[in-house]
Amino acid sequence: MTTPGTSTGTGTGLGVRGVTVLYRDEDGTVATAVDGVDLDVAPGEVLALLGPSGSGKSSLLRAVAGLEPVAAGHLTWDGRDLAGVPVHRRGFGLMFQDGQLFPHRDVARNVAFGLEMAGVPRRDRDARVTELLDLVGLAGFGDRPVTTLSGGERQRVALARSLAPRPRLMLLDEPLSALDRALRERLAGQVRKALTATGTTAVFVTHDHDEAFTVADRIAVMDHGRLLQVAPPADLWHRPATRRVAEFLGYEAFTTAPSRPSGTGTPSGPFAALGAPDGTVLAFGPGSLHRDQDGPVHGTVVTAGFRRGVVELVVDVTGLGQVTVVEPSGAYLGGAPAPTPGDQVRLRVDEGAVARVPNATDGPVGRG
Ligand code: ADP
Ligand code: MG
């Protein structure tokens, strides 16, 4: 009972093939929430499903859980079809934004719930509860009434409770979204640690890209019911498949890589040195440009503001458009004046912080 990683097994994990989820309202109108999604989640992998509100993330997750009917396509676990397998027989764990703890059970008995249901003997149960509370950073909290816990503590109890019965797949739907930002960032790291330490395969739904990048081995970007791109975090960040993905990640301005007409030597212009194949779209965002008094790029300050310990300048960059330039605020200690709107600035490009968008069209991926 206490061997970690038994949920990884040697199978192929979750398979999603052409899955469509439809909603029909009273007057018979049909809306497509999930539109022919293909996706694999390997054993032990943590996949983040990232997309704006209303993009179909919860609908897809609920379909995987068996809570929502699949209108087309099919779902498999280790290659076996899940059609007809009821929610409680799938062996999947679920966790939501509001962890919905049992108010009349203390912390330990909340975590023990699934183990009690499975008829796990008392001693094994107690050992597992201690192990899980330790894992989520709540050692010694076993006797606490859940009504005395903070929001972050509650969600950690909910996570421990879901993980206790060793689900073969954990499905987490915006589990941190009700918490404030600083706590969310800290807990995202803890959730990742708890999932990876137990070897748990997981799908983590979020609309927050920072959270997705912290938690996931791979990120699936969803929009209007379709997957736009599925990639490891660094690949997604540096090589967003389409402009829409790049915009969703926070890239602000785009330009086509300078072309090299045959026999005319090297291209000119401030972005000419950026190595990229012809036609590649270069995407600029916060961190792509830095102030440099000798820099080749010119711009005009639009706004300047202090935010989370840095000074952010929105600069209208000549030949590019508005891009946020981030500077350490230490440069302005003692009241040194920050740039003001209308100031002319010169910039250099941080080539490693410019994304290459290989494909300017925005067709969906994930369909055969
Ligand atoms: P997300 O989790 O990404 O915010 P959802 O899966 O909740 O997105 O919703 C996707 C789309 O399906 C939205 O347009 C939403 O309004 C619609 N939808 C979700 N649940 C229902 C429902 N129970 N009945 C009708 N439409 C729904
Ligand atoms: Mg949702």
Side-chain angles (χ1 to χ4, degrees), residues 1 92-96 98-102 105-116 124-142 146 149 151-167 169-172 175-176 187 190-195 197-198 200 204:
M1 197 56 214
F92 297 169
L94 291 165
M95 185 180 167
F96 300 99
D98 165 10
Q100 294 169 332
L101 301 177
F102 303 109
R105 288 173 164 246
D106 65 18
V107 166
R109 292 202 58 233
N110 262 278
V111 178
F113 179 77
L115 305 171
E116 286 176 22
D124 294 343
R125 223 159 62 201
D126 289 350
R128 181 73 176 150
V129 168
T130 304
E131 183 189 349
L132 263 300
L133 286 179
D134 199 34
L135 185 70
V136 298
L138 292 177
F141 276 62
V146 296
L149 301 177
E153 288 163 351
R154 282 163 182 268
Q155 288 307 77
R156 284 187 280 161
V157 173
L159 178 64
R161 182 180 62 183
S162 309
L163 288 174
R166 301 182 193 287
L169 176 66
M170 260 301 278
L171 301 169
L172 306 103
L176 307 177
L187 286 198
Q190 272 200 355
V191 170
R192 173 162 179 86
K193 190 182 127 225
L195 293 171
T198 51
T200 305
F204 184 107

Side-chain angles (χ1 to χ4, degrees), residues 23 31-33 51-60 68 173-174 205:
Y23 294 109
T32 306
S53 176
S55 57
K57 307 179 297 294
S58 295
S59 300
L60 177 56
E68 209 67 71
D173 194 349
E174 311 250 10
V205 163

Side-chain angles (χ1 to χ4, degrees), residues 321-333:
Q322 292 194 2
V323 181
T324 303
V325 176
V326 183
E327 306 193 316
S329 55
Y332 301 103
L333 272 173

